[in-house]
Amino acid sequence: MILGIASITIGLCCAALCLVGNLVMAVPAIVLGFMALAEQREDPTRPGRSQALTGVITGFIGVAAAIAIVLLTGLLGFADIWFDDF
């Protein structure tokens, strides 16, 4: 349960941070979430499955957001350079 709570907390924090902080917080959220899911799989009576899943999902959303930010920044920067020539 503690890993699940840590996973969801870190996953939610990654949504509020910039790109570097986003990746720094998203990776531990994913790792801790999968660790909590593995512990819950070994002992099904253990609570915290929903927190672990939420941490994993928010961590992957954070990684996807970081990738989207990099791609959009690159595309918009390329478009700015491209259209300045005309």
Side-chain angles (χ1 to χ4, degrees), residues 6-86:
S7 174
I8 190 171
T9 304
I10 293 171
L12 290 174
C13 287
C14 73
L17 296 175
C18 66
L19 178 64
V20 174
N22 191 354
L23 289 175
V24 168
M25 300 298 275
V27 173
I30 294 168
V31 170
L32 290 174
F34 279 124
M35 287 174 58
L37 287 173
E39 286 183 6
Q40 202 273 334
R41 201 171 300 123
E42 291 175 4
D43 183 13
T45 61
R46 225 182 151 105
R49 180 170 171 79
S50 59
Q51 289 96 346
L53 281 174
T54 305
V56 169
I57 292 168
T58 55
F60 277 123
I61 290 172
V63 170
I67 291 170
I69 290 170
V70 168
L71 290 177
L72 286 174
T73 303
L75 289 175
L76 292 176
F78 179 72
D80 186 39
I81 293 169
W82 179 263
F83 291 118
D84 279 347
D85 290 341
F86 293 110

